Amino acid sequence: MGTTKISAAEWEVMRILWSMGRPMTSREIIEALAGNSEWQPKTIRTLINRLTDKGVLAREETGKVLHFRPTVAEADCIREESRTFLNRFFDGGLTPMLAHFLDNEEVSPEELDALRQLLDEKAGGAGR
């Protein structure tokens, strides 16, 4: 994906395509977003065009019908957005980010246990 930035609105369009796992027409994308947003069809078409211009969507013509498919994997986009977030707000530091969220958000005992388990696995199974 490189340095292509996807806006929050564009991200919603991409989520639909990633979740469907198949090329979709603009009409199908519009219908899928109809229940989740108050966007007009023209707005959604604009978002599709922007994503195509950025190269994260590809157009495929089947007969007279245009289908759109992602050219990037969701996991790759999440990885890049995570790095951007971490660099922008925490100078790339994972520890300051985790400390911030632990200090400022409600964290359930179950979430703490899950975090401990992830950290233990990352550390090679070392004790708590």
Side-chain angles (χ1 to χ4, degrees):
M1 190 171 130
T3 59
T4 302
K5 299 295 179 211
I6 298 174
S7 72
E10 292 166 344
W11 193 266
E12 294 305 312
V13 172
M14 294 301 292
R15 275 197 178 128
I16 295 297
L17 285 149
W18 286 321
S19 70
M20 293 303 289
R22 64 172 175 79
M24 298 176 70
T25 66
S26 58
R27 178 173 292 181
E28 289 174 319
I29 297 168
I30 290 166
E31 288 172 2
L33 284 168
N36 299 339
S37 72
E38 295 180 13
W39 295 334
Q40 298 299 315
K42 183 176 179 180
T43 301
I44 297 169
R45 283 189 183 91
T46 297
L47 292 170
I48 292 168
N49 287 332
R50 283 185 195 161
L51 289 163
T52 303
D53 291 344
K54 289 179 180 184
V56 295
L57 283 186
R59 287 185 181 103
E60 298 174 344
E61 193 167 344
T62 308
K64 294 183 179 183
V65 180
L66 275 180
H67 287 85
F68 298 89
R69 66 168 177 78
T71 61
V72 294
E74 183 177 16
D76 292 338
C77 288
I78 291 171
R79 189 176 306 107
E80 183 164 328
E81 289 293 326
S82 297
R83 283 186 192 127
T84 299
F85 173 81
L86 200 60
N87 288 330
R88 182 174 178 197
F89 294 104
F90 299 99
D91 289 330
L94 186 58
T95 300
M97 183 204 68
L98 285 172
H100 170 80
F101 282 105
L102 290 171
D103 288 344
N104 293 289
E105 300 297 325
E106 289 288 323
V107 183
S108 71
E110 295 79 17
E111 289 173 313
L112 286 173
D113 285 342
L115 284 170
R116 278 188 198 98
Q117 183 176 350
L118 287 170
L119 291 170
D120 286 348
E121 288 170 9
K122 200 68 165 166
R128 290 187 182 196

